[in-house]
Amino acid sequence: MPRIPSARNRLKDTPVDGTKRVLLAAPRGYCAGVDRAVIAVEKALDLYGAPVYVRKQIVHNVHVVSELEKKGAIFVEEVDEVPTGSHIVFSAHGVSPAVVNAAADRGLLAIDATCPLVTKVHREAVRFARDDFEILLIGHEGHEEVEGTAGEAPEHTTLVGSPDEADTIQVRNPEKVVWLSQTTLSVDETMETVRRLRARFPLLQDPPSDDICYATQNRQVAIKKIAEDSDLVIVVGSANSSNSVRLVEVALEYGARAAYRVDFASEVKQEWLDGVVTVGVTSGASVPEELVHELLAALEDAGYGNVEEVKTAEEDLLFSLPKELRKDLAGNKDARGLGGRVTRAE
């Protein structure tokens, strides 16, 4: 895990051939599902007191996890590490039925903070398996979301990790095949995987609605918009954040001369800015805005004080908190019953 910096890294203002500027992508940062999950842990700590246990990282961001640990959250890999009778929160990425059952067997008080858009994919997997379809799940092996979705219908699910894998996948019955996907993938790469699957299996069915989440798509559209005008793109996000890593790839694919991912502004290297006139900035869907502000402050030190926000979409989606957290201990309706940007800004 990257070291959390104690002081700001000061970059030097070196001359370039042009007027320095920052193109700031919008939308960026927290999505409704991430905000809901983070609030769920905070609210559980408020209601039940520390410690509250969380299976895996609640969201894939080093800073967020560290801040929640300071408040009393304890992150574990599996439920068998949690003392019997404790409160446990399932992360935004979702869990398989086997994990839910294991928590119940230990007498744990579970709070499910799975993003509702991930839950939608889980339900699709259950339904298609019930109808005896083979599910081709497009996603990254080992990712928590993929493990959770596959766990809903393990006997019916085959993982497809890339477009090239689509060329070699074997299915039992080509007439009953459907594709689903991890919600945080590259839209372009996923559609290429689907195209190659359909070339082999013409009767391949689509999910009833798009599996790649709105926030992932919106952030990719925004970075595409600024990439071609950027000498350098900096994505704020953690290494295990699939959507953050994809933003770096998309930036390079759509014309950025260079692109890097950082957890913190202090990781930006002076040499990255050599000859750079325009810096594109964005952040993954699990990144709090304060980390972007720290990056902008560091870039201002280097002469990039002219910031132009490039907006490609508006986001105002809110998700209700898990049912256990919508009331206080006295049973009164809680004003923080909704997760999302609006609630967190109050």
Side-chain angles (χ1 to χ4, degrees):
M1 182 175 289
R3 180 184 63 85
I4 296 179
S6 57
R8 193 167 110 200
N9 180 36
R10 286 204 165 271
L11 298 168
K12 297 177 183 177
D13 186 352
T14 56
V16 297
D17 186 16
T19 302
K20 291 181 176 181
R21 63 172 180 164
V22 171
L23 297 179
L24 181 60
R28 63 184 177 275
Y30 268 15
C31 64
V34 163
D35 213 16
R36 172 184 184 266
V38 174
I39 291 174
V41 178
E42 295 172 342
K43 180 76 183 300
L45 287 164
D46 290 344
L47 281 176
Y48 310 121
V52 166
Y53 293 84
V54 184
R55 182 184 180 273
K56 308 288 187 181
Q57 292 187 3
I58 185 67
V59 297
H60 286 159
N61 184 265
V62 170
H63 175 78
V64 171
V65 170
S66 175
E67 290 301 300
L68 291 174
E69 284 178 331
K70 292 175 185 176
K71 295 176 181 179
I74 296 176
F75 293 86
V76 299
E77 285 300 302
E78 295 299 344
V79 297
D80 60 9
E81 302 172 49
V82 181
T84 300
S86 300
H87 288 89
I88 186 168
V89 180
F90 296 143
S91 81
H93 308 103
V95 297
S96 69
V99 173
V100 175
N101 293 336
D105 289 344
R106 288 187 63 78
L108 303 182
L109 304 171
I111 298 166
D112 188 358
T114 302
C115 174
L117 300 180
V118 175
T119 299
K120 175 188 78 72
V121 181
H122 283 212
R123 289 173 178 163
E124 291 169 354
V126 171
R127 179 167 69 83
F128 283 112
R130 185 175 59 238
D131 293 338
D132 201 29
F133 275 81
E134 184 164 357
I135 300 164
L136 301 181
L137 177 59
I138 303 171
H140 298 136
E141 185 175 5
H143 192 280
E144 291 143 48
E145 183 186 326
V146 167
E147 291 176 350
T149 301
E152 295 284 357
E155 301 302 320
H156 288 78
T157 302
T158 300
L159 183 63
V160 185
S162 68
D164 287 344
E165 286 188 22
D167 295 335
T168 59
I169 289 292
Q170 300 297 317
V171 300
R172 295 187 303 272
N173 181 359
E175 296 184 355
K176 295 203 73 172
V177 188
V178 63
W179 70 271
L180 302 177
S181 81
Q182 183 180 329
T183 63
T184 55
L185 300 179
S186 161
V187 177
D188 295 339
E189 183 173 315
T190 300
M191 290 303 99
E192 172 62 13
T193 302
V194 172
R195 184 191 69 78
R196 287 161 75 164
L197 286 172
R198 184 163 281 121
R200 298 184 61 217
F201 312 117
L203 297 180
L204 178 72
Q205 289 200 24
D206 298 324
S209 60
D210 200 345
D211 283 349
I212 297 179
C213 88
Y214 77 95
T216 296
Q217 295 188 57
N218 286 349
R219 280 146 192 73
Q220 289 178 19
V221 168
I223 202 63
K224 289 176 183 179
K225 182 76 172 176
I226 68 174
E228 64 180 357
D229 296 321
S230 299
D231 302 304
L232 166 70
V233 166
I234 301 175
V235 177
V236 184
S238 292
N240 61 343
S241 167
S242 175
N243 73 88
S244 297
V245 173
R246 300 289 83 73
L247 288 171
V248 174
E249 296 172 352
V250 171
L252 291 170
E253 183 179 351
Y254 278 79
R257 201 174 75 197
Y260 300 97
R261 180 204 54 77
V262 299
D263 272 291
F264 304 103
S266 62
E267 296 170 18
V268 176
K269 299 185 179 189
Q270 184 70 46
E271 56 265 31
W272 294 354
L273 302 174
D274 290 348
V276 168
V277 175
T278 300
V279 181
V281 170
T282 190
S283 57
S286 52
V287 177
E289 186 68 1
E290 64 188 281
L291 298 184
V292 176
H293 290 166
E294 290 175 5
L295 174 60
L296 294 177
L299 289 172
E300 187 174 12
D301 290 341
Y304 300 90
N306 177 18
V307 179
E308 176 188 345
E309 187 171 65
V310 179
K311 183 174 289 189
T312 56
E314 294 282 351
E315 292 181 354
D316 56 6
L317 183 64
L318 299 175
F319 291 136
S320 296
L321 289 178
K323 62 182 183 300
E324 299 88 352
L325 304 176
R326 294 176 200 164
K327 295 182 180 180
D328 60 25
L329 289 176
N332 301 312
K333 185 177 180 180
D334 196 303
R336 296 180 84 199
L338 285 174
R341 293 175 192 271
V342 175
T343 303
R344 288 185 66 79
E346 290 176 351

